[in-house]
Amino acid sequence: MDIITLLKGLLEELSEIEEKFYEESKDLYSLELSVKDVFTQKAAEYVGMILTGADEMICSSKYRKSKYTIQRHDYRTLTTVVGDVVFNHTMYLEKETKSTHFLLDEMLQLDSHERFSEGAETELLREAVKSSYAKAAKILPTESEVSKTTVMNKVHQIADEIPLEEREERKKCEYLYIEADEDHISEQGETDSEGDGMLGKLAYLYESKKKIGKNKRELVNTFYQSGIYEGPEKNKRFWEQMEEYIEKTYDMDYLKTVYVIGDGGGWIRSAENHIVYSKLCMDKYHVAKYINSAANQMLDEKDIARERIYTCIYKHRKKGLEEVFDEMLCSANNQKPVEDAKNYLLNNWSALMRTYHDKNLYGSSTEGHVSNVLSARMSSRPMAWSKRGADRMCKLRCYVENHGEEKIIDLVRYSREKRNLKRSGKEIVMPEEKKIRMNISERYEKGKSYIESIQAAIPGYTARKQISIRHQLNFI
């Protein structure tokens, strides 16, 4: 099939739809769906036509003939954003090594067993990051079955670590802020009585908070990082990645302090060991929870107890705070919340003082960010995750926060390249223009030439395609 045949077929089908609309029904909804279906079908045929043309040009290439012999011709079906694309798929034998190759696949950096195009996989992930695997499985216009397990596998295949961009000119900031907290995620195979599930760790860095309303502030230049990161070594790697981002983004000679704000948990405290210039601070939300829980044990005197605790904090009285808690323990309705608050505040005294007295600090917003970035997808609905699935979904949601949904395609490409590298054991060297491209200007020129004189356009256009194919084959 050539483009002229495809366009004639498109015009015929559109004419039939128009005729049917006037003769049988004035149903606008049916008209919209019919036109959409036709264009989608023709788009898939067009993509298949381009790929088949590329395969045929590889077959006829002098360079190919000098290095590879044809073994067999076949067809391949690929699920894309415009539907199922069918195209010629030729297998070759390399004369020197006797190894088999699908040269078109290698030019496209497409694994021979891959069902989905980069765009289709991107759409699956784009939906999966917001809703269930089951809903994501229905997003593509394909006649083949896409199961929620397929979507899950695509999430699992996301690269474990995404390379950080290094700025040519690093930003100058005296102070940076990292807020950290976790989301409790249910693990597959566990019940509430069997375990506490997994911790989805979240840390986000920002430069300042900008006032955008009467009682609302917006974080300036945020960077989100999340994942499961179980155990000391992986937790160490979590903070090392954050440190790498800081070093690649900011002028370390200009930077004075990195404030790490959290609930004082061990994994958060360890940030001081891995992030330079870091100082631990307490999240006021968790401080207030401990204080209120302890003060409520004093019944009618709870307001007085709460005031005495905060007075000691504001006046730097560590010894006085200890005495206040000891008095409360003598008459508390329940001693445990009082003992917990005492240990929590006294064991984190330096961080607590910094929180309430350092003029460079802002109030924290960890609960809201955990809810928005993680809980909304990971734990707010009754669901359970595998460790790998939870880890990759946490990373994917942060990737979207950092770069936007439109950049998921870059993540898909990087993850595929990593898998190819792992499978082949060697890096695939390709030119900058990795894909077989028919650029817009060429398409426009061909269409214009067809209207004026179709035969005048084809020779030059074909020559350009042949040059492109030859150029690509040199890098396989």
Side-chain angles (χ1 to χ4, degrees), residues 429-445:
V429 180
M430 296 291 284
E432 275 187 17
E433 53 277 9
K434 295 177 183 177
K435 308 290 181 289
I436 298 172
R437 293 188 177 92
M438 305 301 177
N439 64 52
I440 294 173
S441 62
E442 285 183 340
R443 291 180 187 172
Y444 171 76
E445 289 300 325

Side-chain angles (χ1 to χ4, degrees), residues 189-363:
E190 275 193 351
T191 64
D192 292 339
S193 61
E194 292 174 340
D196 297 325
M198 302 170 284
L199 290 183
K201 297 174 181 177
L202 173 68
Y204 50 96
L205 177 144
Y206 58 93
E207 298 170 8
S208 63
K209 289 188 177 182
K210 178 176 66 177
K211 195 170 184 178
I212 59 172
K214 186 176 181 181
N215 297 309
K216 191 174 181 181
R217 290 176 180 268
E218 181 179 70
L219 305 187
V220 176
N221 295 328
T222 53
F223 172 75
Y224 292 84
Q225 181 173 295
S226 183
I228 302 302
Y229 293 93
E230 287 185 329
E233 285 303 312
K234 289 188 177 180
N235 191 67
K236 175 185 176 183
R237 184 58 191 148
F238 179 88
W239 290 119
E240 285 176 345
Q241 287 177 289
M242 183 63 79
E243 171 68 7
E244 287 173 16
Y245 174 78
I246 294 172
E247 290 179 349
K248 290 183 176 181
T249 307
Y250 299 95
D251 186 336
M252 300 303 289
D253 294 330
Y254 195 83
L255 182 63
K256 290 182 178 179
T257 306
V258 179
Y259 293 102
V260 181
I261 307 155
D263 62 7
W267 76 270
I268 298 174
R269 294 180 67 88
S270 69
E272 286 187 305
N273 301 325
H274 307 294
I275 296 181
V276 295
Y277 310 132
S278 62
K279 293 182 179 178
L280 190 66
C281 308
M282 302 303 294
D283 175 8
K284 287 186 177 180
Y285 172 81
H286 288 91
V287 171
K289 278 181 66 176
Y290 276 95
I291 292 175
N292 290 335
S293 182
N296 288 340
Q297 307 311 312
M298 306 310 294
L299 302 178
D300 292 341
E301 296 183 355
K302 63 182 180 181
D303 292 335
I304 297 173
R306 187 182 298 108
E307 183 179 350
R308 291 182 68 193
I309 293 171
Y310 276 111
T311 297
C312 291
I313 292 173
Y314 285 118
K315 293 189 175 182
H316 304 266
R317 295 177 179 172
K318 185 177 182 180
K319 185 65 176 175
L321 182 62
E322 187 174 1
E323 292 172 356
V324 168
F325 279 122
D326 288 341
E327 291 176 21
M328 291 171 64
L329 285 168
C330 293
S331 56
N333 186 49
N334 181 356
Q335 288 188 336
K336 189 177 185 310
V338 179
E339 192 69 45
D340 289 345
K342 175 184 176 181
N343 293 333
Y344 182 74
L345 298 181
L346 294 178
N347 291 340
N348 294 288
W349 183 256
S350 296
L352 186 66
M353 290 300 96
R354 198 171 290 119
T355 299
Y356 283 89
H357 299 286
D358 193 319
K359 60 181 175 57
N360 294 311
L361 278 171
Y362 303 93

Side-chain angles (χ1 to χ4, degrees), residues 378-390:
M378 310 301 299
S379 61
S380 63
R381 290 165 284 179
M383 63 179 72
W385 298 82
S386 67
K387 286 183 180 179
R388 186 181 181 90

Side-chain angles (χ1 to χ4, degrees), residues 100-199:
T100 57
H101 298 263
F102 291 95
L103 295 180
L104 179 60
D105 290 352
E106 292 178 21
M107 287 175 59
L108 297 172
Q109 287 194 294
L110 185 66
D111 185 82
S112 59
H113 300 292
E114 179 59 64
R115 285 177 55 196
F116 301 93
S117 68
E118 291 175 342
E121 183 173 339
T122 297
E123 289 303 306
L124 292 178
L125 295 179
R126 193 195 302 269
E127 184 62 30
V129 78
K130 297 180 289 189
S131 60
S132 67
Y133 290 162
K135 287 184 178 179
K138 300 175 182 177
I139 199 72
L140 296 173
T142 175
E143 295 182 6
S144 59
E145 181 184 0
V146 179
S147 68
K148 61 181 182 179
T149 300
T150 300
V151 180
M152 179 193 72
N153 290 337
K154 290 301 178 186
V155 172
H156 285 202
Q157 289 173 357
I158 294 172
D160 181 37
E161 292 187 10
I162 313 301
L164 298 170
E165 180 182 355
E166 190 160 0
R167 297 169 62 95
E168 291 185 10
E169 185 176 347
R170 288 171 172 76
K171 301 165 74 174
K172 295 183 182 295
C173 285
E174 290 186 319
Y175 305 101
L176 293 175
Y177 304 86
I178 298 174
E179 296 183 13
D181 204 352
E182 66 269 345
D183 188 26
H184 293 269
I185 303 170
S186 297
E187 186 173 356
Q188 289 176 351
E190 275 193 351
T191 64
D192 292 339
S193 61
E194 292 174 340
D196 297 325
M198 302 170 284
L199 290 183

Side-chain angles (χ1 to χ4, degrees), residues 442-454 457:
E442 285 183 340
R443 291 180 187 172
Y444 171 76
E445 289 300 325
K446 184 179 180 183
K448 189 172 91 171
S449 298
Y450 167 67
I451 295 171
E452 296 171 354
S453 175
I454 184 171

Side-chain angles (χ1 to χ4, degrees), residues 17-52:
I17 290 171
E18 182 181 10
E19 185 177 343
K20 184 177 180 181
F21 174 75
Y22 283 114
E23 290 183 356
E24 299 180 10
S25 171
K26 305 301 185 291
D27 183 355
L28 179 59
Y29 179 65
S30 297
L31 175 63
E32 291 177 70
L33 291 183
S34 298
V35 172
K36 178 184 176 183
D37 289 344
V38 167
F39 273 100
T40 300
Q41 177 191 344
K42 294 304 177 185
E45 290 179 13
Y46 185 50
V47 174
M49 183 191 76
I50 293 174
L51 295 180
T52 293

